[in-house]
Amino acid sequence: MSTAVYIHIPYCQSKCNYCDFLSFAVSSCEIAPHIYLQALEKELALRGEELKKAGIKVATLYIGGGTPTILPHELVSQILASCHRHLPLDKEVEWTVEANPSTISLELVKLLVQAGVNRISLGVQDLCDERLALLGRTHTAAQAKEAILMCRNYFPVLSLDLMTGLPKQTTAQLLETLAVVCSWEPQHLSLYGLQVEDGTKLAAQLAAGLIQLPDEDEVGEMFMRSRKYLQSRGYEHYEIANFALKGFQCRHNLTYWQNRPYLGLGLGAHSYWQNERLANTSCLYSYVQCLAAGQLPVTERLVLSRQREIEDTIMLGLRLRAGIKFADFQKRFGLDLRRLYAQQLQCLSALGVIQCDEESISLTESGLPVANLVFAEFIA
Amino acid sequence: MQQRNIRNFSIIAHIDHGKSTLADRLLEKTGALTKREMTAQVLDQMDLERERGITIKLQAVRLLYRASDGEEYILNLIDTPGHVDFAYEVSRSLAACEGALLVIDAAQGIEAQTLANVYLALENNLEIIPVINKIDLPGADVEKVKQELEEIIGLPGDEAILVSAKEGIGIEEVLEAVVQRIPAPVGNTEEALRALIFDSHYDPYRGAIAYIRVMEGKIHTHQKIKMMSHGGIYEVTEVGVFQPKMTPTDSLKAGEVGYVVAGIKNVKDTRVGDTITGAERPALFPLPGYRRTNPMVYCGFYPVDSGDYTVLRDALEKLNLNDAALVFEPETSEALGFGFRCGFLGLLHMEIIQERLEREYNLSLITTAPNVVYQVTLHNGKVLQIDNPARLPKTTEIASIAEPYVVARIIVPSTYVGAVMELCQDKRGDFINMEYLDTSRVSLTYEMPLSDIVFDFFDLLKSRTRGYASLDYELLGYRTSQLVKVDILINGELVDALSFITHNERAYQRGRELVGKLRELIPRQMFEVPIQAAIGQKIIARETVKALRKNVLDKCYGGDITRKRKLLEKQKAGKKRMKQVGNVEIPQEAFMAVLRID
């Protein structure tokens, strides 16, 4: 038995304009990182104990944020040591750390690799300095290149995050960026469309007319062209936003898409554990207090009905290009997906947005741009 | 009280000239209400009326006033609705009076509705007292208004009372003028009963309550009465007066204004304009002027959620209890399912009903574009009344189609004459007359199809004249026109609820415009959606709603699946507010789109 563990480090150098993740600028945060890490260590201990008792190994470990690498190196080491101390890591563990290119140094890279981190995910986003500044990113294209070239020599897997649909971005520019990025030979690429979330600086800038975003057609075009280009460069499009060379799919994220259990540790982290969806508190004070009292900081708990579990499995599984295997579904729920959703499958197939064969159901190419509408059809 | 101490009067005015404010002041001055009891504009009781600043449902109130001659008078103020949709109701409440206060805005002068109301008042032989209101405004030009009174209406300008209802100036003078200038009612109390119904309302405990002016004879409790239009007989359980709350009295005599409760189940049985007489000693003839009001405008109401059909039916029935002018019957649309075709006095009436259904009954409705009633003559000689374009017979069966025409009077500053003439022409108006009211204002008369005037004409008129034009119209009758039905096909399927009837010459343009509007209103879907306009089999316009290009949740949100799901649920909820026609989701507004094209 094995599972996936996510650890959230909610600190950043500064908040990016589009970001609505749970993160704080490290300089302005009232609870210092070392206090947070003490609490996190307690949570790791509690959950690690539970895993060990149940004989469950950690197959994938993902340290994300925020920017985990913004912390001083001794604190980064402390996190890595805590993981080793408390978590029953599998021999073949896929261990990812997220990093901002501006935080990468040889010292840090060595520290991570020595601790057993074998996958680094760099938030490159774009290679246009003007646009990076506009987004509130703290790095430049040159820094990104430097970090990438360093990382790829040390980490078995290099993953890069890129964004589409950015202000003033054109399809041509994006393709050019991808060509440069591909020349650095990352094993894994995530391509995220910029989303305007309420309450972000970006939303305010847009509302004030300070920036304009490319229209829906252009963004759609960017995605489809990027996809085609990356495929031509040998990347498999294996999930709506993710591309990988053969054998380098992100096992950690696959856990989410396959709707299998995972534990999320740290501030505001989410877990899917023993058929419940759990959320940790998003309040730093409560988080620290809870763990000081020896309690898990879980504040939201949703027991999933069987129907909900089925719906989630479909909504998540259809994100994978491989789709959902009928046999897997049958094995998990004892039901025939084809019969359960006969009407939806027929209608959506007729519209050409999904395809069914003997073994599985998946989105078609024309289903990709309308994925949400397709998923919504399966939600009661 | 004796007849000679009674005065029955109305206030008539163009919209916004301050009628309701003046009524409020009169109530306040005569102590009918204390200041504390007054919310602004007491007579406009419905929320909607207060919000829109217009009177829809007319009301009556009895004021007690001790005049300067030392005697006490009963002044019955009968309020009138201030919108052209309700012209018949206005005429009936005027028929219940001997005089009227003609309120004119000191800055605006005489407007189209001022004139229309004056004509109604003159038809009913009312004594007219001109009141120039808002004299406190910086733009007030009292002398000019006096001049207009003399030149346009033919009333002596120096008899006008100068008032600022807002500031409470001239209110006493108005009350004195009502007493001195308006004649007391005449009418023999010994004659057979004849009482005019000028309004009614429905009370859930007591049934329909008729608002009446007794013209002859008297009416008292336990009396058996008869409605002369339909012969229904009822026993009076209560009569009373409005102070302004309903206050029972023993009887109402000729000249008096009040209400009657008689266990009448439905306001349809207390029709405005009808005559109440005694069942045992009936009058020979009813009072003149009664007519059944026929709906001028029809539209379809459909619940967005088809499960709300019975809620909608119950709601319409409840509203109908209080509004005999509203008619409705079940209707089925292939596109929209089960709903009701409803008839209204005009567009305002329609909007009011629609808003009340949505607000008071919490219904989410799809309203189809309103249309007038067409008279269709078939080759076999049969004549059909068509109140729904989708029901128009096949072209091959039709000999001719006639549509209602109105005569419209527009008063406008002379600088805008050209703009108004152009607009009237656009709306298929036939020029009848142009008259200079004074050096700067012109009265234009056009005969126009009702269907063109009833929708956006007034808005266009206002916008092209910077709000200076005023409009009044009345029905002329039916005229044959070259009319065709334009159908709309969405994704190849005919959407019956979007069909409209229009003049042959304008069909192409309107078809194109509507299809263009629909393309903007229909959200992009999973697939490309063609939208076409057709006359018969012939496609006259086509647009395409492109398929969605980007509707993906990219981010992982650190395993926050619940958030992802909430976004999908939100999307799903958005979909529920739309109507599914074939495979296509169509938003509510799309069904009104035909209104938003010229």
Side-chain angles (χ1 to χ4, degrees):
Chain A
M1 281 275 278
S2 64
T3 194
V5 172
Y6 173 80
I7 295 174
H8 191 66
I9 307 296
Y11 297 99
C12 278
Q13 188 178 333
S14 62
K15 192 103 178 150
C16 296
N17 294 350
Y18 55 87
C19 175
D20 79 331
F21 279 26
L22 189 58
S23 62
F24 317 99
V26 69
S27 56
S28 65
C29 188
E30 286 174 32
I31 289 186
H34 73 275
I35 307 280
Y36 175 71
L37 292 190
Q38 281 169 14
L40 179 65
E41 167 126 26
K42 291 205 178 85
E43 196 186 8
L44 274 163
L46 288 169
R47 285 303 198 182
E49 195 59 32
E50 189 184 341
L51 291 173
K52 283 172 188 165
K53 266 189 195 159
I56 298 170
K57 290 278 188 193
V58 176
T60 67
L61 175 57
Y62 198 108
I63 302 177
T67 310
T69 53
I70 193 71
L71 299 180
H73 293 173
E74 62 271 22
L75 292 186
V76 176
S77 296
Q78 192 187 319
I79 301 170
L80 301 173
S82 299
C83 291
H84 277 294
R85 195 174 309 128
H86 299 294
L87 297 177
L89 299 178
D90 190 271
K91 276 206 305 288
E92 304 285 315
V93 67
E94 174 197 274
W95 190 346
T96 308
V97 171
E98 274 184 348
N100 181 302
S102 66
T103 62
I104 295 294
S105 65
L106 191 57
E107 193 192 348
L108 177 79
V109 167
K110 284 183 173 165
L111 186 155
L112 293 171
V113 172
Q114 271 158 21
V117 175
N118 48 28
R119 196 172 177 279
I120 188 144
S121 170
L122 293 177
V124 175
Q125 319 308 5
D126 195 4
L127 293 177
C128 164
D129 283 345
E130 191 193 342
R131 216 158 22 235
L132 287 169
L134 198 64
L135 295 173
R137 297 293 299 179
T138 57
H139 72 274
T140 61
Q143 278 176 313
K145 181 179 176 183
E146 200 183 334
I148 290 164
L149 296 180
M150 189 185 291
C151 286
R152 78 174 178 174
N153 289 331
Y154 286 87
F155 293 95
V157 184
L158 169 66
S159 176
L160 305 178
D161 283 1
L162 292 165
M163 294 180 84
T164 67
L166 298 174
K168 291 191 200 163
Q169 192 179 35
T170 63
T171 307
Q173 285 172 339
L174 178 61
L175 290 174
E176 201 181 314
T177 302
L178 289 177
V180 176
V181 165
C182 286
S183 73
W184 296 327
E185 299 170 335
Q187 288 83 358
H188 189 275
L189 282 167
S190 297
L191 204 55
Y192 295 126
L194 177 67
Q195 291 188 10
V196 182
E197 304 289 352
D198 290 345
T200 57
K201 215 184 253 182
L202 179 73
Q205 287 170 323
L206 264 179
L210 297 174
I211 50 171
Q212 278 96 38
L213 296 180
D215 68 16
E216 186 184 320
D217 289 315
E218 178 88 22
V219 178
E221 185 72 8
M222 282 183 195
F223 177 74
M224 295 313 260
R225 295 270 199 140
S226 302
R227 176 175 177 271
K228 213 165 175 185
Y229 176 71
L230 292 175
Q231 284 173 330
S232 76
R233 294 294 301 255
Y235 291 88
E236 183 197 5
H237 184 207
Y238 75 97
E239 192 270 345
I240 284 178
N242 287 290
F243 299 81
L245 296 177
K246 201 166 167 52
F248 290 98
Q249 294 186 1
C250 176
R251 280 159 55 206
H252 184 81
N253 281 342
L254 282 176
T255 308
Y256 299 145
W257 312 135
Q258 290 167 353
N259 201 23
R260 286 185 281 118
Y262 54 88
L263 278 175
L265 310 184
L267 188 70
H270 291 254
S271 303
Y272 177 38
W273 200 241
Q274 291 166 350
N275 215 37
E276 289 181 322
R277 295 224 180 264
L278 311 174
N280 279 353
T281 176
S282 318
C283 166
L284 258 177
Y285 289 96
S286 317
Y287 181 78
V288 170
Q289 271 176 356
C290 248
L291 284 156
Q295 305 270 315
L296 283 173
V298 172
T299 49
E300 284 172 45
R301 195 179 276 275
L302 179 74
V303 182
L304 293 192
S305 66
R306 190 175 165 74
Q307 177 61 28
R308 176 80 181 246
E309 204 186 333
I310 288 174
E311 290 175 13
D312 284 358
T313 302
I314 296 174
M315 155 188 126
L316 294 163
L318 282 179
R319 295 185 63 95
L320 294 169
R321 299 296 290 118
I324 302 161
K325 283 207 172 70
F326 298 128
D328 291 348
F329 191 88
Q330 179 88 38
K331 198 171 157 199
R332 179 163 177 177
F333 298 105
L335 293 166
D336 186 348
L337 177 61
R338 281 164 290 195
R339 235 186 255 164
L340 199 58
Y341 287 101
Q343 198 198 335
Q344 282 91 335
L345 295 191
Q346 192 195 0
C347 174
L348 294 167
S349 302
L351 291 174
V353 292
I354 61 165
Q355 59 201 5
C356 287
D357 59 24
E358 292 294 295
E359 290 183 342
S360 63
I361 152 184
S362 59
L363 287 180
T364 61
E365 189 170 336
S366 55
L368 283 172
V370 295
N372 281 347
L373 291 177
V374 177
F375 303 157
E377 289 299 317
F378 293 92
I379 287 180
Chain B
M1 196 171 289
Q2 294 178 342
Q3 271 184 356
R4 67 180 183 84
N5 286 31
I6 296 174
R7 300 291 183 272
N8 299 315
F9 72 105
S10 263
I11 308 179
I12 53 180
H14 189 74
I15 193 159
D16 279 345
H17 281 199
K19 186 181 72 168
S20 297
T21 315
L22 177 60
D24 288 351
R25 287 291 161 275
L26 298 180
L27 262 71
E28 205 181 289
K29 194 83 185 175
T30 54
L33 283 179
T34 62
K35 262 221 162 105
R36 206 169 53 79
E37 287 173 303
M38 307 239 338
T39 43
Q41 303 190 354
V42 169
L43 288 182
D44 294 347
Q45 280 181 349
M46 287 163 57
D47 283 354
L48 268 172
E49 294 182 14
R50 211 163 285 148
E51 274 169 36
R52 291 174 176 235
I54 49 168
T55 309
I56 300 156
K57 196 87 184 132
L58 47 97
Q59 306 283 345
V61 61
R62 173 180 185 150
L63 312 172
L64 284 177
Y65 176 64
R66 186 167 296 280
S68 58
D69 62 9
E71 290 195 45
E72 188 156 69
Y73 290 84
I74 288 173
L75 311 181
N76 290 309
L77 164 57
I78 296 171
D79 199 22
T80 56
H83 193 273
V84 63
D85 280 5
F86 305 95
Y88 174 69
E89 282 70 9
V90 177
S91 82
R92 289 309 84 199
S93 38
L94 293 182
C97 302
E98 280 77 28
L101 298 172
L102 173 66
V103 179
I104 304 166
D105 185 312
Q108 307 289 329
I110 288 171
E111 302 274 12
Q113 269 180 295
T114 319
L115 276 181
N117 282 318
V118 166
Y119 295 142
L120 280 175
L122 292 174
E123 273 172 30
N124 286 290
N125 297 316
L126 301 195
E127 177 68 32
I128 297 174
I129 303 173
V131 172
I132 302 177
N133 190 22
K134 306 194 190 181
I135 55 163
D136 57 310
L137 286 187
D141 189 346
V142 172
E143 285 316 306
K144 184 157 180 262
V145 177
K146 282 184 175 177
Q147 199 185 331
E148 283 183 356
L149 271 170
E150 295 190 353
E151 288 173 8
I152 303 170
I153 302 179
L155 290 171
D158 50 7
E159 284 182 13
I161 304 169
L162 305 185
V163 166
S164 165
K166 197 165 137 242
E167 301 297 327
I169 302 166
I171 307 304
E172 190 78 38
E173 288 84 337
V174 170
L175 289 165
E176 280 300 315
V178 168
V179 169
Q180 284 161 25
R181 295 201 222 161
I182 295 175
V186 289
N188 193 336
T189 53
E190 302 308 317
E191 291 275 321
L193 169 66
R194 287 207 296 176
L196 171 71
I197 301 178
F198 61 86
D199 192 15
S200 65
H201 86 268
Y202 181 80
D203 179 298
Y205 302 104
R206 302 194 288 174
I209 298 175
Y211 295 21
I212 57 162
R213 153 74 196 270
V214 183
M215 307 305 271
E216 281 151 4
K218 54 190 165 199
I219 184 167
H220 53 81
T221 40
H222 307 305
Q223 184 179 358
K224 284 226 162 65
I225 55 168
K226 181 169 146 186
M227 302 295 171
M228 294 189 80
S229 73
H230 56 86
I233 291 177
Y234 309 90
E235 185 176 328
V236 177
T237 55
E238 182 180 320
V239 293
V241 295
F242 304 99
Q243 289 190 321
K245 290 198 180 76
M246 290 198 285
T247 312
T249 54
D250 297 334
S251 66
L252 291 171
K253 292 190 284 265
E256 291 189 298
V257 171
Y259 67 89
V260 182
V261 184
I264 306 166
K265 289 211 179 65
N266 200 308
V267 283
K268 283 182 187 138
D269 297 326
T270 53
R271 288 191 179 267
V272 171
D274 199 358
T275 303
I276 296 178
T277 189
E280 275 144 30
R281 189 188 155 207
L284 287 178
F285 302 105
L287 297 162
Y290 172 74
R291 65 175 163 90
R292 276 183 74 107
T293 46
N294 289 317
M296 303 271 264
V297 180
Y298 281 79
C299 79
F301 283 155
Y302 292 84
V304 172
D305 178 351
S306 53
D308 281 344
Y309 176 80
T310 49
V311 183
L312 174 59
R313 188 193 56 209
D314 294 349
L316 283 168
E317 274 167 7
K318 282 208 184 95
L319 290 179
N320 198 212
L321 286 175
N322 229 337
D323 184 352
L326 168 70
V327 301
F328 63 97
E329 59 179 35
E331 163 180 272
T332 319
S333 151
E334 278 163 42
L336 301 178
F338 294 104
F340 292 90
R341 180 122 296 238
C342 306
F344 309 93
L345 295 176
L347 212 59
L348 178 75
H349 187 208
M350 178 186 113
E351 283 168 16
I352 289 161
I353 298 290
Q354 183 192 351
E355 262 185 68
R356 292 190 65 186
L357 287 170
E358 292 188 339
R359 274 195 212 184
E360 294 167 27
Y361 297 91
N362 203 18
L363 282 160
S364 185
L365 292 180
I366 287 174
T367 308
T368 65
N371 56 268
V372 299
V373 181
Y374 295 94
Q375 255 174 26
V376 178
T377 308
L378 302 181
H379 288 302
N380 63 15
K382 249 171 118 178
V383 178
L384 306 174
Q385 306 285 329
I386 298 294
D387 61 21
N388 179 354
R391 305 266 178 277
L392 194 73
K394 283 199 195 93
T395 326
T396 48
E397 296 172 19
I398 297 173
S400 67
I401 308 177
E403 62 180 328
Y405 261 70
V406 298
V407 56
R409 185 184 303 104
I410 298 153
I411 294 181
V412 70
S414 46
T415 39
Y416 297 108
V417 164
V420 172
M421 290 175 78
E422 193 185 351
L423 175 64
C424 290
Q425 268 179 19
D426 288 348
K427 296 293 180 187
R428 295 194 282 147
D430 295 327
F431 177 86
I432 299 300
N433 186 24
M434 177 164 102
E435 208 179 329
Y436 273 85
L437 300 178
D438 53 40
T439 50
S440 64
R441 294 202 316 155
V442 175
S443 165
L444 284 162
T445 310
Y446 273 83
E447 291 182 1
M448 300 173 77
L450 176 66
S451 69
D452 278 84
I453 214 167
V454 89
F455 304 137
D456 57 352
F457 183 77
F458 190 59
D459 292 338
L460 290 172
L461 184 66
K462 282 283 177 190
S463 71
R464 294 203 191 169
T465 62
R466 295 193 179 182
Y468 281 115
S470 60
L471 165 73
D472 189 76
Y473 62 84
E474 59 184 299
L475 202 61
L476 275 174
Y478 275 80
R479 290 187 187 172
T480 306
S481 296
Q482 293 300 313
L483 298 169
V484 291
K485 181 173 72 150
V486 178
D487 290 320
I488 300 294
L489 293 90
I490 294 182
N491 206 21
E493 280 192 50
L494 193 149
V495 182
D496 55 0
L498 286 170
S499 297
F500 63 95
I501 292 172
T502 188
H503 194 266
N504 193 21
E505 280 173 17
R506 303 217 320 231
Y508 280 79
Q509 194 200 339
R510 285 177 68 91
R512 257 200 308 280
E513 281 171 358
L514 178 57
V515 158
K517 199 83 211 166
L518 287 171
R519 187 184 54 119
E520 288 166 28
L521 289 171
I522 294 176
R524 300 170 72 166
Q525 328 240 333
M526 283 194 227
F527 44 89
E528 199 175 273
V529 179
I531 304 170
Q532 296 159 300
I535 299 174
Q537 299 298 314
K538 191 169 154 204
I539 303 293
I540 57 168
R542 183 194 158 106
E543 292 269 1
T544 306
V545 179
K546 285 190 282 184
L548 263 176
R549 289 302 302 272
K550 191 175 181 310
N551 192 251
V552 189
L553 300 172
D554 290 338
K555 284 187 205 160
C556 183
Y557 297 116
D560 187 355
I561 308 301
T562 319
R563 174 171 174 170
K564 232 181 240 309
R565 196 182 149 103
K566 274 185 189 142
L567 285 166
L568 290 181
E569 282 168 355
K570 212 170 133 189
Q571 180 144 9
K572 189 114 180 165
K575 241 178 96 156
K576 277 194 183 139
R577 284 195 297 273
M578 294 197 248
K579 202 81 190 176
Q580 178 132 9
V581 178
N583 279 325
V584 184
E585 314 284 341
I586 304 180
Q588 285 159 273
E589 315 88 84
F591 294 95
M592 289 288 273
V594 71
L595 271 192
R596 289 194 238 156
I597 59 178
D598 296 331

